Amino acid sequence: MEFEKLSGYEKIKLILENYTDLKDRLEYLKANIDNISLKHSYKYDKPVKSFYSDYLSEIEKIEDIKEKRLQIIGLLEYFLYLVNSGIRYLKDCQFKYYEILEFYYIKKMKLKEIARKLGINPVTVSKNKDKLIKEIASFHFNDLLEQFRDILER
């Protein structure tokens, strides 16, 4: 799946569907950023640097892996920012049933549980879940378009 070809809605939904895994991976990488060891059976490939890895010392290989981890950490933080700021936006704008996304994707509650908690029909939960994802996508990608326009006007 090519992330670039997905619509804004599909991107946000994909991030939401993987939210807890992304958050766990981020915490793991941050906790182990300096805990890198090369094993003799370890196949070192895809270095961040552009030269051939056989010519790198073990220290350079470790630094290369650390640099790659830092890039992944930045990307994961950005993905989680998209979701968290989107949910804050829904809450701040007082969107009806904004809690659905947090309950469903972050707290992993079932549609029936959410419906019971909010006192609504499960079908309403499902319909609003999709509407809220579209709203977050619109919020983020319209904001990006505005930033792009500002850059072009400078």
Side-chain angles (χ1 to χ4, degrees), residues 9-39:
Y9 169 83
E10 292 168 323
K11 288 176 182 178
I12 296 297
K13 186 173 182 184
L14 183 64
I15 295 167
L16 280 164
E17 289 170 344
N18 293 284
Y19 184 88
T20 52
D21 292 336
L22 295 173
K23 192 170 183 176
D24 291 345
R25 181 73 178 149
L26 176 63
E27 290 171 10
Y28 171 82
L29 287 173
K30 282 183 172 182
N32 293 291
I33 191 70
D34 291 318
N35 188 15
I36 301 169
S37 63
L38 297 175
K39 299 178 178 119

Side-chain angles (χ1 to χ4, degrees), residues 82-131:
L82 288 175
V83 169
N84 294 333
S85 63
I87 291 174
R88 256 192 327 276
Y89 163 74
L90 296 174
K91 183 178 181 179
D92 292 347
C93 292
Q94 299 177 346
F95 275 84
K96 196 171 186 178
Y97 308 130
Y98 71 89
E99 311 100 313
I100 290 172
L101 295 181
E102 186 174 353
F103 290 154
Y104 187 78
Y105 290 108
I106 298 171
K107 294 184 179 177
K108 301 292 185 193
M109 293 172 65
K110 304 285 183 207
L111 292 177
K112 288 182 181 180
E113 292 175 299
I114 298 168
R116 199 174 318 112
K117 186 169 181 94
L118 297 176
I120 57 177
N121 189 309
V123 174
T124 305
V125 173
S126 183
K127 286 180 182 177
N128 279 281
K129 179 174 62 82
D130 290 337
K131 287 178 187 176

Side-chain angles (χ1 to χ4, degrees), residues 51-66:
F51 45 87
Y52 193 61
S53 66
D54 286 346
Y55 297 108
L56 296 175
S57 70
E58 286 194 11
I59 292 173
E60 289 171 316
K61 288 178 182 179
I62 289 170
E63 286 300 313
D64 207 24
I65 292 168
K66 186 175 179 179

